[in-house]
Amino acid sequence: MIGVGPRNNIEFYNSPLSAQGYLNDPVTLGEDRICEILREVPGTVIEVGCGAGRMYEAQGTSPSKWVGVDYAQTPLQLLAQRHPDVRVVQADAAALPFANGTFGAALLGYHMLESILPAARRRQALAEAARVVEPGGEVIVTRHLGRSYHRVGQVLAIVRRQAHEFGDLVGPARHGAGEFRMHVLGSREMAAATRLAGLVLNQTWDYRDGGPVSLRSVSVVERYSVLRGVKQ
Ligand SMILES: C[S@@+](CC[C@H](N)C(=O)[O-])C[C@H]1O[C@@H](n2cnc3c(N)ncnc32)[C@H](O)[C@@H]1O
């Protein structure tokens, strides 16, 4: 049941199999669109939950215009080996060690928000991304769509008392790397959390094929702007 044992998935993300596994994953067409946007950002981009730098490599931006943050040491070490010139910071998404408005844009990619439990910490992670981006800048988030993701699995998890709220899932992690817990955000939760963070939704597209979000979409990219004039 959720609440027993470690809740933050860091053991999974710290396993070398996981760090290398994410790096090997192909960049989707939806992520290509993210890269196009981030390449045009005049300021520096922060990627929260950057892993071993798959999206940094896909963007192909100058190392001076990108900062990677992750709470797990293993992927950061792999990133530093591959790109010694890049700035990486080990920190939790819910407590970013940067001043307000430091960056031109933030990316919370590859559905990383879903691995943050509980809900208060997810809200804090969104608020932190918005805080460290300058007003008018961009925050890009990817996530599964609650309506399409393992609906039957979620119900079963609740029935088996492995999950305490709808949207929480627990199961074997990829690459045989232990157990993984995640929360598929409902659209109401996402709307409330982004409103609190001062984020305004501008655009959405399908994470896989980069096209419009449709009933067949399993996951989505959401592009937000940081409200100007919000007290920071
Ligand atoms: C699904 S992996 C994606 C890695 C990378 N963004 C990519 O696209 O390949 C999610 C990453 O987010 C990191 N992460 C998860 N929760 C985090 C948190 N609370 N604070 C910082 N990093 C976190 C994990 O360590 C992991 O490296």
Side-chain angles (χ1 to χ4, degrees), residues 134-149:
E134 62 191 350
E138 313 239 18
V139 174
I140 298 181
V141 179
T142 82
R143 64 185 180 97
H144 286 107
L145 288 167
R147 65 171 160 74
S148 54
Y149 194 81

Side-chain angles (χ1 to χ4, degrees), residues 50-210:
C50 62
R54 187 181 66 100
M55 288 297 278
Y56 168 69
E57 294 183 2
Q59 273 161 67
T61 39
S62 138
S64 62
K65 287 196 65 192
W66 189 89
V67 173
V69 171
D70 205 290
Y71 69 171
Q73 203 175 7
T74 308
L76 289 184
Q77 280 168 346
L78 190 55
L79 173 50
Q81 278 163 20
R82 293 166 68 88
H83 303 284
D85 42 358
V86 144
R87 182 167 174 215
V88 293
V89 177
Q90 189 175 4
D92 194 292
L96 296 176
F98 302 100
N100 297 353
T102 304
F103 300 99
L107 170 62
L108 280 70
Y110 211 142
H111 320 327
M112 65 82 65
L113 200 56
E114 295 171 354
S115 68
I116 303 180
L117 302 166
R121 202 157 146 253
R122 282 193 294 281
R123 278 197 298 276
Q124 185 62 24
L126 276 171
E128 279 292 87
R131 179 186 67 77
V132 301
V133 168
E134 62 191 350
E138 313 239 18
V139 174
I140 298 181
V141 179
T142 82
R143 64 185 180 97
H144 286 107
L145 288 167
R147 65 171 160 74
S148 54
Y149 194 81
H150 291 183
R151 182 158 282 222
V152 176
Q154 287 175 23
V155 174
L156 282 179
I158 293 164
V159 171
R160 291 182 189 134
R161 296 182 161 272
Q162 290 171 325
H164 64 79
E165 65 180 289
F166 192 77
D168 279 6
L169 292 167
V170 61
R174 293 183 352 155
H175 318 298
E179 191 178 71
F180 189 74
R181 288 152 200 270
M182 64 183 277
H183 176 93
V184 180
L185 286 89
S187 46
R188 259 187 292 171
E189 176 185 347
M190 192 63 184
T194 49
R195 201 170 41 243
L196 269 176
L199 293 171
V200 179
L201 183 62
N202 284 331
Q203 246 183 326
T204 58
W205 58 91
D206 185 283
Y207 176 77
R208 288 269 148 224
D209 64 20

